[in-house]
Amino acid sequence: MTREFENKVAVVTGASRGIGKGIALELARNGANIAIVYRSEEEKARLVQAEIENMGQEVIVVKCDVSKSEDVARLHDSVMEKWGQVDFVINNAGIHQHLKSWELSEEDWHRVLDVNLTGAFLVTKAFTPHMLGKKAGRIVHISSCVAFTGTDHEVHYAASKGGLFSLAKSHALELAGHGINVNAIAPGYVETDMVVFDEVHPLDEVLETIPQHRLGQPQDIARAVKFLCSADSNYITGQVIHVNGGLIMY
Ligand code: NAP
């Protein structure tokens, strides 16, 4: 633990639980103040708030559906009102749905794309003018390894996660000359509410496919985010970091 992020402000979407919670705690442990963004689980978001306040950092908790531009505008105003600055934007909020492509309704398709891809676009767009003004900032999109491998049970999720790579690269090109780095992380299996094992996908079979023979933990992803927000990654932009215990290798 360092105080490297003292007086920095991070917006972490989907920080009420899972990977987003891990990211919020890791950045706070290193001195950042945190805007916890959640959609529905206020109680869980408040628990994360309490943990961060116990570390001595400032926190705001904002209910915001990242797919709705009016909510995102409110998120932007809340952060600016509290701190007048943002240093790190972590687009982590995401949903998925296990269905074959031919079973998906148009509504299913749009819901997943709206949250996972449009949400990252809207949140990034909201905070970019401020980062451009101060010529500094770090933006990290949480994608997925399925963007590289494809998946046979949720094409809309995989497409949204692939879109995040293109978004990261294009944002990186636009913003590289303005002191703003934009990167993506592609997690493998991480032990959260999102990942469910059953007779069709038994845990022991999944572990066989992972060279390190363990599921990732939220902190594994959070440490990569911390690196991408730190001075150690100053010369890294438009890249994807795979954090997956060796599940896929590029
Ligand atoms: P999770 O445990 O299901 O948590 C999802 C988080 O996103 C929750 O905090 C939820 O808030 C929030 N969220 C969902 N829809 C939202 C919306 N419309 N607006 C704002 N927040 C919203 O998922 P996770 O496993 O931590 O996943 C986090 C990210 O990592 C996702 O983008 C996911 O696709 C990606 N990922 C996960 C894995 C994995 O194995 N777990 C692998 C690869 C990539 P509420 O609780 O308030 O609803």
Side-chain angles (χ1 to χ4, degrees):
M1 185 175 101
T2 67
R3 301 302 293 173
E4 177 174 7
F5 300 150
E6 196 91 61
N7 299 319
K8 303 283 188 198
V9 172
V11 173
V12 185
T13 69
S16 53
R17 56 198 164 93
I19 293 173
K21 173 182 173 182
I23 294 168
L25 294 176
E26 182 69 16
L27 297 180
R29 236 177 254 125
N30 286 277
N33 298 319
I34 310 289
I36 295 171
V37 182
Y38 75 102
R39 178 196 49 178
S40 55
E41 303 224 24
E42 178 171 358
E43 219 169 283
K44 289 188 178 167
R46 295 286 171 200
L47 290 174
V48 183
Q49 174 182 23
E51 271 195 68
I52 293 175
E53 284 173 347
N54 280 341
M55 297 174 194
Q57 299 311 124
E58 294 176 1
V59 186
I60 60 172
V61 174
V62 185
K63 181 177 170 65
C64 162
D65 181 338
V66 295
S67 67
K68 296 190 174 149
S69 51
E70 61 277 17
D71 281 20
V72 173
R74 213 168 21 77
L75 166 65
H76 169 270
D77 293 350
S78 305
V79 172
M80 287 304 163
E81 198 176 298
K82 173 74 178 170
W83 292 294
Q85 73 179 78
V86 67
D87 301 280
F88 314 137
V89 169
I90 317 301
N91 288 304
N92 165 79
I95 55 172
H96 78 145
Q97 180 188 33
H98 280 202
L99 279 180
K100 292 291 187 187
S101 59
W102 57 90
E103 296 168 334
L104 291 179
S105 67
E106 204 176 323
E107 194 185 38
D108 292 328
W109 169 268
H110 285 299
R111 193 175 58 253
V112 169
L113 270 287
D114 284 353
V115 174
N116 296 3
L117 184 56
T118 307
F121 163 72
L122 290 175
V123 175
T124 302
K125 177 175 154 75
F127 290 103
T128 298
H130 169 76
M131 289 182 171
L132 284 171
K134 64 176 191 169
K135 291 201 167 297
R138 298 294 170 94
I139 298 165
V140 181
H141 302 319
I142 305 301
S143 178
S144 168
C145 64
V146 301
F148 284 77
T149 60
T151 166
D152 65 0
H153 55 266
E154 42 184 356
V155 296
H156 50 346
Y157 179 78
S160 71
K161 294 298 181 179
L164 281 177
F165 288 140
S166 305
L167 196 66
K169 288 179 197 169
S170 302
H171 275 140
L173 276 174
E174 278 187 338
L175 301 172
H178 301 272
I180 303 167
N181 292 9
V182 189
N183 292 288
I185 291 175
Y189 291 101
V190 183
E191 197 167 5
T192 69
D193 296 345
M194 189 178 270
V195 177
V196 176
F197 299 101
D198 52 24
E199 339 43 89
V200 186
H201 290 106
L203 175 60
D204 51 350
E205 278 182 24
V206 169
L207 291 178
E208 280 303 305
T209 67
I210 304 173
Q212 286 193 354
H213 297 301
R214 71 169 178 92
L215 299 176
Q217 294 302 313
Q219 202 176 4
D220 292 312
I221 311 304
R223 286 185 177 136
V225 172
K226 186 211 151 205
F227 169 67
L228 289 175
C229 292
S230 75
D232 291 339
S233 64
N234 277 349
Y235 202 50
I236 299 176
T237 195
Q239 306 302 320
V240 176
I241 297 187
H242 293 270
V243 184
N244 60 32
L247 178 68
I248 56 168
M249 298 185 187
Y250 285 89

